[in-house]
């Protein structure tokens, strides 16, 4: 049932039909149809409801625009449309509901694009261009094989624990070492270091995406992502800090979707505040690296974030990494006490290696590359292999040390602060 509109290729049929609900939308479409050389008579009234009725008795166009504004149950009506619409038609929907869940559901039922009303002529032109690209054939992607996509998230339990260092390293290991085309998506939009860590200019791609989510498509991804190498591309930002950047999260979700189509691996550097604000970003993540330090504050936050993961992303394998662990002298909290508190083992320990970290910063190279002969490099390399094994084994359920967390959740509860994060 996935993408029912996109099966097969269009034969000879009308290039375009629109079913609108109001004059404003009709007036916006008319000049665009003229530009495209399409007939204006192809704009009908009655929105989605009329589209379903008409297409049940007539041939479907190549590109179909449907206005869902008058639909009480858009998902139900879109599914009704899928039943009467011929395979190969690309559907652009428009509506007044600004809800990322609806957007997800529409995309899952085969809609190519959803334009939030009121939208501009340029947005409509973009949507048509995107639709034409889809009709022209499969998207060009680097991977000609059938390896499933791997989506990983790296979450630091607190700032400064070394999460972004690990994210850049993992992305580099996936791309340059494992030879899988990889996207590094740095969602710290104001203070991201994804580009900086790889000696790149972040560009405006991510900021543009947030300001204008409807523009995100395969072409956008190709243009906006900054290439670090043949196999590694980065989307990161240094968004201006004099004004807040508003997003309902739909831009991030769309970026995830497009990256899934264009790359073999996605590594999301996901600030913990984003988990709270946009929990849906974790829905498709197959493996999450929770990065912590061995300190009291980090212990508290590790407990809370691991509990959050259990409730909100149970499908994701969780790997706990303690980073910046001093080679000599006791850390603030011993490994044993930390593990007892979080009720599971630490999977990897990345030692504090000030010299390599400084070298990495100076050279604009990932820590895994700079310290590849040393313990940090080897540890990160094993971590990357373990993450890739999550999809290669076809298993996303908890394995190994992770099991104890699930098994002992009852006990873990008693460690949680009274107001549990849900
Ligand atoms: N293993 C390590 N040893 C020494 N310094 C490290 C290590 N990992 C990261 N750092 C340094 O710690 C600082 C914070 O790292 P960063 O990855 O940006 O943390 P976060 O993303 O969790 O805020 C950076 O200056 C980085 O170079
Ligand atoms: Mg960071």
């Amino acid at each position: 049932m996935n993408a029912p509109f996109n099966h097969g290729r269009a034969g000879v049929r009308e290039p375009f039909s629109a079913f609108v609900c109001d004059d404003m939308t009709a007036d916006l479409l008319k000049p665009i149809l003229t530009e495209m050389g399409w007939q204006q008579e192809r704009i009908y009234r009655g929105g989605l409801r009329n589209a379903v009725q008409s297409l049940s008795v007539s041939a479907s166009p190549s590109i179909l625009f449907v206005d869902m504004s008058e639909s009480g149950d858009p998902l139900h009506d879109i599914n009704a449309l899928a039943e009467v619409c011929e395979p190969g038609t690309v559907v652009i929907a428009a509506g007044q509901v600004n809800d990322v869940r609806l957007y997800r559901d529409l995309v899952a039922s085969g809609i190519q694009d959803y334009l939030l009303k009121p939208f501009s002529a340029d947005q409509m032109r973009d949507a048509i261009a995107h639709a034409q690209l889809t009709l022209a054939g499969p998207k060009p992607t680097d991977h000609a094989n059938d390896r499933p996509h791997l989506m990983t998230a790296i979450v630091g339990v607190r700032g400064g624990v070394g999460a972004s260092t690990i994210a850049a390293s993992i992305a580099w290991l996936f791309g340059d070492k494992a030879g899988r085309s990889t996207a590094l998506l740095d969602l710290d939009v104001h203070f991201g270091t994804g580009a900086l860590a790889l000696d790149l200019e972040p560009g405006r791609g991510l900021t543009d995406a947030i300001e204008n989510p409807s523009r995100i498509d395969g072409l956008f991804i190709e243009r906006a992502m900054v290439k670090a190498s043949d196999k590694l591309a980065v989307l990161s930002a240094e968004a201006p800090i004099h004004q807040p950047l508003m997003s309902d999260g739909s831009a991030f979700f769309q970026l995830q979707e497009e990256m899934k189509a264009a790359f073999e691996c996605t590594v999301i550097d996901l600030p913990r505040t984003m988990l709270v604000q946009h929990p849906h970003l974790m829905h498709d993540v197959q493996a999450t690296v929770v990065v912590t330090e061995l300190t009291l504050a980090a212990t508290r936050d590790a407990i809370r974030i691991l509990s959050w993961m259990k409730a909100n992303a149970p499908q994701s394998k969780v790997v706990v990494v303690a980073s910046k662990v001093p080679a000599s002298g006791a850390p603030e909290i011993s490994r044993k006490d930390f593990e007892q508190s979080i009720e599971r083992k630490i999977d990897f320990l990345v030692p504090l290696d000030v010299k390599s970290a400084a070298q990495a910063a100076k050279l604009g190279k990932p820590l895994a590359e700079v310290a590849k002969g040393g313990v940090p490099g080897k540890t990160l390399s094993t971590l990357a292999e373990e993450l890739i094994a999550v999809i290669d084994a076809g298993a996303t359920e908890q394995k190994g040390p992770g099991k104890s967390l699930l098994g002992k959740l009852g006990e873990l509860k008693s460690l949680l602060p009274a107001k549990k994060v849900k």
Side-chain angles (χ1 to χ4, degrees):
M1 238 320 260
N2 203 22
F5 301 101
N6 294 334
H7 293 161
R9 297 282 294 277
V12 180
R13 49 168 92 179
E14 281 298 329
F16 183 85
S17 298
F19 291 83
V20 302
C21 295
D22 50 58
D23 288 341
M24 215 174 90
T25 310
D27 291 345
L28 186 130
L29 288 180
K30 279 178 196 159
I32 300 177
L33 264 61
T34 308
E35 282 165 30
M36 304 296 297
W38 297 336
Q39 298 166 6
Q40 299 206 349
E41 293 75 62
R42 283 276 159 185
I43 302 177
Y44 305 97
R45 293 285 161 158
L48 181 51
R49 198 174 19 85
N50 189 22
V52 176
Q53 277 170 7
S54 302
L55 296 186
S56 65
V57 293
S58 61
S60 308
S62 297
I63 300 172
L64 174 68
F65 173 88
V66 282
D67 192 339
M68 309 192 309
S69 307
E70 287 167 1
S71 170
D73 185 351
L75 260 187
H76 173 268
D77 293 349
I78 281 291
N79 286 327
L81 180 68
E83 302 209 338
V84 297
C85 196
E86 288 164 37
T89 294
V90 178
V91 181
I92 301 165
Q96 285 158 330
V97 182
N98 187 4
D99 179 349
V100 67
R101 275 161 305 178
L102 174 66
Y103 176 82
R104 282 183 73 111
D105 291 342
L106 289 176
V107 169
S109 47
I111 292 293
Q112 160 110 20
D113 233 328
Y114 176 67
L115 300 176
L116 184 63
K117 289 174 74 175
F119 55 86
S120 69
D122 274 344
Q123 283 173 292
M124 187 64 208
R125 285 191 189 96
D126 276 356
I128 290 175
H130 188 192
Q132 287 179 319
L133 204 72
T134 304
L135 289 169
K139 269 187 206 139
T141 54
D142 286 2
H143 52 109
N145 54 53
D146 287 332
R147 281 200 292 232
H149 181 88
L150 170 61
M151 177 128 7
T152 54
I154 319 293
V155 182
V157 301
R158 300 185 65 73
V161 295
S164 297
T165 302
I166 291 180
S169 289
I170 295 296
W172 176 78
L173 287 159
F174 283 174
D176 290 37
K177 288 291 136 189
R180 299 189 184 215
S181 60
T182 300
L184 174 59
L185 174 59
D186 179 355
L187 289 187
D188 186 348
V189 291
H190 289 106
F191 304 105
T193 50
L196 188 67
L198 298 168
D199 198 20
L200 299 167
E201 282 294 326
R204 274 198 52 87
L206 184 54
T207 322
D208 281 348
I210 296 165
E211 284 170 350
N212 226 331
S214 66
R215 296 205 153 192
I216 301 168
D217 59 17
L219 265 183
F220 177 91
I221 291 285
E222 233 170 74
R223 285 194 299 248
M225 295 207 61
V226 184
K227 283 208 151 223
S229 71
D230 259 7
K231 291 284 187 187
L232 175 59
V234 183
L235 195 59
S236 183
E238 280 162 31
I241 57 174
H242 54 264
Q243 62 188 44
L245 204 56
M246 305 307 272
S247 173
D248 63 352
S250 59
F252 307 131
F253 169 68
Q254 279 169 263
L255 287 170
Q256 276 182 324
E257 288 295 297
E258 292 300 336
M259 285 178 183
K260 232 192 270 175
F263 295 88
E264 288 178 276
C265 302
T266 304
V267 177
I268 312 170
D269 186 347
L270 193 62
R272 60 183 178 159
T273 48
M274 285 292 222
L275 285 185
V276 180
Q277 260 168 353
H278 306 296
H280 64 271
L281 291 178
M282 290 299 294
H283 282 182
D284 293 335
V285 170
Q286 291 133 315
T288 307
V289 179
V290 174
V291 185
T292 184
E293 276 176 339
L294 298 182
T295 61
L296 179 65
T299 309
R300 181 201 64 188
D301 294 339
I303 292 173
R304 299 175 76 203
I305 285 175
L306 289 171
S307 160
W308 187 98
M309 287 294 304
K310 168 73 181 79
N312 293 276
Q315 86 292 347
S316 179
K317 178 189 168 80
V318 175
V319 181
V320 175
V321 178
S323 190
K324 300 169 84 169
V325 180
S328 60
E332 188 177 304
I333 299 280
S334 75
R335 176 176 187 167
K336 190 163 149 271
D337 287 347
F338 183 88
E339 289 179 335
Q340 255 170 14
S341 303
I342 64 164
E343 289 282 311
R344 60 164 288 165
K345 295 270 182 229
I346 289 169
D347 299 302
F348 294 92
L349 272 185
V350 178
L352 182 75
D353 183 343
V354 177
K355 211 170 137 204
S356 298
Q359 189 75 354
K362 227 177 278 168
L363 299 175
K365 290 190 167 166
L367 180 66
E369 183 178 5
V370 170
K372 60 174 175 258
V375 183
K378 286 178 186 152
T379 309
L380 290 167
S381 174
T382 317
L383 168 60
E385 280 163 22
E386 187 160 310
L387 295 174
I388 284 181
V390 170
I391 44 155
D392 282 359
T396 54
E397 70 270 356
Q398 297 262 342
K399 284 189 268 175
K403 264 188 191 146
S404 65
L405 177 68
L406 291 174
K408 292 179 183 172
L409 250 186
E411 295 165 48
L412 180 65
K413 271 192 194 135
S414 65
L415 286 159
L416 291 171
K419 251 179 95 192
K420 200 180 123 192
V421 187
K422 244 197 105 192

